[in-house]
């Protein structure tokens, strides 16, 4: 028995070399063999007309006015054409636009306003107390007497600042005499100086681990934090 590798190494069989193989398109007999070249296509008269290239007319009209034929001169329009040629009549209630300057009638010129119309024509006035109109243009508004409740008065009371509140510090303040005469200690000078390291070409190794880091031992707290979380079992 051939192994799996030998079976997969075999080429695929050619299924087209058997012409008598049945297909789903014919079940009773084989299709007839064709003799000759490809299928001949006959063009219809309409297709033949469409295949002809279009003709371009190079004739240029010299004048837009052309001669009217004799039949057009003797043509008589029908009743339908005469009816369509009539302009469209306006609507039944249509009126022409009113002119901008309309003459005022005699009745309007001699009209006398009633007491009601005079009352409505008066501007609205506020209840104000006018004081020394000739001296001041502003008028004092009269407010109706009102009294706020105790809760509103409590809410209207402004809040007091905290006893330890300090305002904004000014941007420019005087420097104290002690700050001017302060002398830094040697410890501050040592801490402020940058750490000296050798360059790579001078023998500096950035991957070198110090002896203290090699002999360091973690504390019990670090060992406790390194432990994985205790998960509950599914049986519980």
């Amino acid at each position: 028995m051939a192994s799996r590798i030998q079976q997969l190494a075999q080429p695929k069989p050619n299924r087209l070399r058997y012409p008598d193989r049945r297909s789903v398109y014919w079940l009773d007999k084989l299709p007839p063999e064709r003799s000759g070249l490809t299928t001949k296509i006959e063009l219809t008269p309409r297709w033949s007309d469409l295949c002809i290239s279009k003709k371009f007319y190079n004739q240029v009209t010299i004048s837009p006015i052309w001669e009217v034929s004799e039949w057009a001169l003797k043509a008589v329009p029908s009743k339908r054409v005469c009816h369509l040629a009539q302009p469209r009549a306006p609507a039944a209630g249509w009126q022409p636009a009113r002119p901008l300057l309309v003459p005022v009638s005699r009745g309007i010129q001699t009209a006398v306003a009633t007491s009601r119309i005079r009352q409505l024509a008066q501007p609205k006035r506020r209840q104000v107390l006018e004081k020394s109109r000739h001296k001041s243009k502003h008028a004092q508004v009269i407010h109706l007497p009102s009294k706020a409740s105790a809760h509103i008065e409590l809410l209207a009371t402004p809040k007091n600042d905290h006893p330890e509140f300090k305002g904004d510090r000014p941007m420019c303040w005087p420097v104290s005499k002690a700050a001017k005469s302060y002398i830094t200690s040697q410890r501050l000078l040592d801490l402020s100086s940058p750490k000296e390291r050798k360059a790579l070409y001078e023998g500096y190794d950035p991957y070198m681990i110090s002896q203290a880091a090699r002999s360091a031992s973690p504390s019990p707290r670090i060992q406790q934090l390194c432990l994985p979380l205790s998960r509950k079992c599914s049986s519980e």
Side-chain angles (χ1 to χ4, degrees), residues 32 50 61 70 77 100 124 150 155 157 182 185 189 193 203 205 233:
L50 293 175
T61 306
E70 183 180 358
L100 296 177
K124 293 183 179 180
L155 294 175
T157 305
Y182 181 78
S185 61
L189 293 176
S193 59
D205 187 9
C233 299

Side-chain angles (χ1 to χ4, degrees), residues 153-224:
E153 292 181 356
L154 178 62
L155 294 175
T157 305
K159 293 183 179 181
N160 299 325
D161 296 334
H162 195 269
E164 299 181 0
F165 170 76
K166 296 182 180 180
D168 297 336
R169 188 176 182 181
M171 298 181 64
C172 299
W173 61 88
V175 183
S176 61
K177 187 177 181 180
K180 293 180 180 180
S181 60
Y182 181 78
I183 300 175
T184 55
S185 61
Q186 186 63 30
R187 178 61 177 167
L188 290 178
L189 293 176
D190 296 341
L191 294 175
S192 61
S193 59
K195 193 174 182 180
E196 296 181 359
R197 290 181 178 178
K198 296 181 180 180
L200 294 176
Y201 59 86
E202 294 180 357
Y204 172 69
D205 187 9
Y207 302 102
M208 183 179 63
I209 303 174
S210 62
Q211 191 67 26
R214 295 178 183 179
S215 60
S217 58
S219 61
R221 177 58 178 167
I222 295 179
Q223 293 181 359
Q224 181 183 0

Side-chain angles (χ1 to χ4, degrees), residues 97-159:
R98 188 176 181 181
L100 296 177
L101 300 178
V102 181
V104 184
S105 63
R106 185 67 179 175
I108 297 176
Q109 296 179 1
T110 58
V112 179
T114 60
S115 59
R116 177 58 178 169
I117 294 178
R118 294 177 182 176
Q119 181 183 0
L120 295 175
Q122 296 294 332
K124 293 183 179 180
R125 297 181 179 179
R126 297 182 179 179
Q127 298 178 359
V128 296
L129 181 61
E130 299 179 359
K131 289 184 178 181
S132 62
R133 179 178 298 177
H134 62 283
K135 295 182 180 179
S136 177
K137 296 182 180 180
H138 300 283
Q140 183 180 1
V141 182
I142 300 176
H143 297 281
L144 299 178
S146 59
K147 184 178 181 181
S149 60
H151 186 62
I152 294 179
E153 292 181 356
L154 178 62
L155 294 175
T157 305
K159 293 183 179 181

Side-chain angles (χ1 to χ4, degrees), residues 39-51:
T39 306
K40 295 182 180 180
I41 300 176
E42 296 181 359
L43 294 178
T44 61
R46 177 58 180 167
W47 286 7
S48 302
D49 297 340
L50 293 175
C51 292

Side-chain angles (χ1 to χ4, degrees), residues 34-39:
R34 295 181 179 180
S35 59
L37 301 177
T38 57
T39 306

